[in-house]
Amino acid sequence: MPTMPEQLVFELPHRAAMGLEDFLVSDSNAAAVALVDRWPDWPIGAAILVGPKGSGKTHLANVWQLRAEATPHAASSLTRESVPAVASAGAVIIENVETLTDEAALFHLLNLVREQRLQVLLTTDAAPGDLKIALPDLHSRLKALPLASIEAPDDALLRAVLVKLFADRQLSVEPHIVDYVLVRMERSMSAAERFVAEADRQALVLQRRVTRAIAAAALDSLGY
């Protein structure tokens, strides 16, 4: 019996919703949400968000970026020469401090928090005390900053994220399918996004709703 050809699928762009109203809150991230909510009433003009990759740290930093009209910069690109231009934005996000190569540059930038009333949000996957920082003054400065941690998402949060991601794509998925996926996928927001995108793609190919079989195939294709 001949097999049916796959339906041609066009990969249309899907914009991730990145506002605060789109950020789902649970015990694993409530402290980080509270830190962003307190801005601009931070004790000083700088703070640190700490969390593993895929925890939602980038989303929450984006929320602060929109509120503060901040400019994002990768820590790996920060240099002493670039600091004046970076600081001229007034509000700055320095992402992935663990990738920093010019420690003096970040120390100078943090000095400008007081001198120029600069606003700075740092993100990192490790707590300041665990970062490999050779410059003692920078190490001390980072440890003194207000800090909030985002833990790996718990079951309740991941379940809500999966449901929301499906809804964003106008897909209706039965609860037992979400439960099936939840115990098999990687425990991260980014994994949830990849899974939903792949399940959507496979459902379009087969011209079917997302079933358990499609969910299983999507998990398999992602290596879970």
Side-chain angles (χ1 to χ4, degrees), residues 18 40 49 60 92 135 166 177 187 196 214:
M18 295 295 277
L49 279 181
L60 197 53
V92 179
L135 190 63
F166 278 122
I177 296 174
R187 317 295 294 172
V196 170
I214 287 177

Side-chain angles (χ1 to χ4, degrees), residues 6 16 31 35 37 45 48 63 69 91 95 102 107 126 134 155 166 169 197 209-210 224:
E6 287 191 348
L35 177 70
D37 278 343
I48 304 180
V63 170
E69 298 182 350
E95 299 178 303
D102 190 337
F107 183 67
D155 281 358
F166 278 122
R169 291 172 176 266
R209 63 199 301 266
V210 177
Y224 300 140

Side-chain angles (χ1 to χ4, degrees), residues 187-200:
R187 317 295 294 172
S188 73
M189 303 291 198
S190 55
E193 292 171 358
R194 291 194 301 273
F195 166 75
V196 170
E198 178 61 16
D200 187 16

